[in-house]
């Protein structure tokens, strides 16, 4: 009889621990979007769901080899900055001689988003000049330029093309 009571007490304790752990897991991991897809709030956000955030951010290995070998640059990156008002393009120089055309002041950089149907340019500020680095490139250093995205037409997840003179990087994903 005493053994049965101890066993019953132990069972209740195990059940309480299992229930507590289940509640903690439910709080830590809310229901998936599939379970809430029928809610009215999900219906309003359906058009924005067309843009996938799970796009690969990296260029294919062959593209990286091309940019490194022909243009002397790698680590091409496009980021959505300043609440979307600026799109920032960065790259790292591997070979300074090959990368000179990217820093040429006479070359007009353009960011093209075929999905949005826009071409963004580097703005020129009155006292600062162009929002880009145009000094002589040095191997191992990273350089940037900022494109004006007024109206926030280019969104995160869009694939864009960056053209600087003869240089053209296609299919870069905006992060």
């Amino acid at each position: 009889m005493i053994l049965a009571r101890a066993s019953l007490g132990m069972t209740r304790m195990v059940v309480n621990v299992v229930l507590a752990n289940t509640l903690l897991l439910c709080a830590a991991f809310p229901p998936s979007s599939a379970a809430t897809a029928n809610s009215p709030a999900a219906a309003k956000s359906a058009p924005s769901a067309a843009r996938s955030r799970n796009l690969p951010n990296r260029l294919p290995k062959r593209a990286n080899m091309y940019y490194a070998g022909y243009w002397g640059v790698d680590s091409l990156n496009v980021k959505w900055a300043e609440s979307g008002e600026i799109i920032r393009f960065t790259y790292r120089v591997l070979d300074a001689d090959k990368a000179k055309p990217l820093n040429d002041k006479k070359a007009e950089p353009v960011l093209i988003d075929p999905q949005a149907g826009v071409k963004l340019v580097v703005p020129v500020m009155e006292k600062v000049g162009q929002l880009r680095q145009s000094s002589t490139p040095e191997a191992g250093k990273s350089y940037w330029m900022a494109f004006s995205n007024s109206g926030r037409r280019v969104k995160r997840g869009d694939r864009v093309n960056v053209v600087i003179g003869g240089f053209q990087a296609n299919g870069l994903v905006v992060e």
Side-chain angles (χ1 to χ4, degrees):
M1 183 87 149
I2 295 175
L3 190 58
R5 284 185 190 170
S7 176
L8 182 61
M10 186 66 109
T11 305
R12 285 183 183 162
M13 187 172 73
V14 169
V15 169
N16 286 338
V17 168
V18 169
L19 285 174
N21 286 338
T22 304
L23 288 173
L24 286 173
L25 286 173
C26 288
F29 300 103
S32 67
S33 60
T36 59
N38 295 332
S39 69
K44 291 179 183 176
S45 66
S48 65
R51 294 181 191 260
S52 174
R53 290 185 173 248
N54 296 328
L55 295 172
N57 290 334
R58 297 192 180 114
L59 287 172
K61 187 175 183 178
R62 179 172 270 184
N64 281 328
M65 290 171 50
Y66 166 75
Y67 293 122
Y70 193 82
W71 293 102
V73 295
D74 73 348
S75 302
L76 304 176
N77 197 351
V78 180
K79 285 193 177 181
W80 206 64
E82 302 299 327
S83 299
E85 292 291 327
I86 299 286
I87 304 294
R88 184 180 166 122
F89 172 65
T90 59
Y91 56 94
R92 185 175 58 146
V93 173
L94 300 173
D95 185 338
D97 292 332
K98 292 180 182 178
K100 279 184 184 178
L102 277 78
N103 287 24
D104 184 13
K105 289 182 182 181
K106 295 176 186 171
E108 293 289 327
V110 178
L111 184 137
I112 302 167
D113 185 347
Q115 295 162 331
V118 295
K119 282 185 179 181
L120 306 182
V121 295
V122 175
V124 178
M125 308 301 276
E126 193 173 306
K127 294 182 180 180
V128 178
Q130 276 192 325
L131 290 180
R132 69 180 281 200
Q133 291 176 306
S134 56
S135 60
T136 305
E138 294 180 37
K141 290 194 175 182
S142 292
Y143 294 88
W144 60 269
M145 58 187 65
F147 295 93
S148 174
N149 188 23
S150 58
R152 297 183 182 130
R153 303 276 311 268
V154 177
K155 306 283 186 201
R156 286 188 177 123
D158 285 357
R159 289 196 176 270
V160 296
N161 306 327
V162 176
V163 179
I164 307 167
F167 173 83
Q168 184 167 353
N170 294 328
L172 300 173
V173 178
V174 178
E175 297 178 6

